[in-house]
Amino acid sequence: MAGPTGRGNSLGAALGYLMRAQVTPTPPAVLLNAKHWHAQLSQLTGTRRGYEALESAGLDVKPDTLFKWLPDPEYNVRRSYRDLIHTAYENVAIVPADPIPDHVNDGQFEISGLVKTGADERERGTRRAAPLRIDGRRGDWSDIEALWLAGDLRDDDFEDRFIDDVIVADIGEGTDGWEFNGASYAVELR
């Protein structure tokens, strides 16, 4: 196998490994380790991203109020406001995933492992049977992309969506659908 390859104990695990190897996550802008609401608020108000997180969390106070809170760590701030500050602080720490690169969506996938459609079940990617070749350009990646960007693309979801939205879009339903019940898979991206 010549291109980037993902390996796993299921098709979804191999796809997930391949995907994570192709996308470099963006590191957080700052190290977030403040515990007290005042320290969290101080860090948040130090960046535009922090102000956006406060707004997204629902903290709706006037700038004058922030100016009262910031110089005095002992200022009596309502619990509901402290909770919103904490939520904003945690949200800033979440790094959104990069979009799936075009070379993945438009790639050619070679799947090795146990593949079944109808009565045809064989170990693909051996001397006896070529890998299952899939053209990613023909697939609909929108659901996969949405799950990926939300950070919710689990291996089993990836496998299901890849079968339904990429494999079926490229080569059809197969005799009775596609099954990948093996214990070891490799997916090469070309």
Side-chain angles (χ1 to χ4, degrees):
M1 295 190 163
T5 303
R7 299 182 188 285
N9 60 2
S10 69
L11 176 61
L15 288 164
Y17 182 89
L18 176 65
M19 181 75 75
R20 289 184 295 275
Q22 297 304 302
V23 180
T24 306
T26 307
V30 293
L31 178 62
L32 301 176
N33 56 8
K35 303 290 183 222
H36 191 266
W37 72 267
H38 184 265
Q40 291 175 351
L41 182 63
S42 295
Q43 280 188 338
L44 288 169
T45 56
T47 65
R48 185 174 61 98
R49 185 174 172 204
Y51 275 107
E52 289 170 356
L54 286 167
E55 185 177 311
S56 294
L59 184 67
D60 186 23
V61 296
K62 296 179 181 174
D64 293 357
T65 304
L66 285 178
F67 290 132
K68 290 178 187 172
W69 293 354
L70 285 170
D72 185 5
E74 300 303 319
Y75 194 89
N76 189 15
V77 174
R78 279 192 244 159
R79 176 176 260 324
S80 62
Y81 287 145
R82 291 191 312 245
D83 291 344
L84 291 173
I85 292 166
H86 182 71
T87 298
Y89 192 75
E90 286 181 338
N91 289 344
V92 161
I94 297 171
V95 178
D98 289 339
I100 297 173
D102 289 340
H103 74 274
V104 173
N105 294 351
D106 296 339
Q108 303 293 314
F109 295 84
E110 291 189 356
I111 301 170
S112 298
L114 187 64
V115 178
K116 180 180 180 184
T117 181
D120 180 13
E121 180 176 39
R122 53 187 142 148
E123 192 73 29
R124 304 298 295 255
T126 66
R127 286 187 291 147
R128 295 174 51 170
L132 179 62
R133 290 185 175 94
I134 304 300
D135 185 351
R137 292 174 297 182
R138 296 178 186 229
D140 176 4
W141 289 82
S142 57
D143 288 345
I144 294 170
E145 179 97 28
L147 290 168
W148 171 258
L149 291 173
D152 292 333
L153 187 59
R154 297 185 327 262
D155 292 344
D156 56 337
D157 294 330
F158 199 174
E159 182 172 320
D160 292 344
R161 296 275 35 106
F162 190 81
I163 292 168
D164 293 345
D165 299 341
V166 181
I167 293 176
V168 170
D170 182 30
I171 57 178
E173 284 284 342
T175 308
D176 271 328
W178 294 96
E179 294 181 35
F180 297 85
N181 297 324
S184 177
Y185 286 89
V187 179
E188 180 184 359
L189 178 62
R190 293 182 169 257

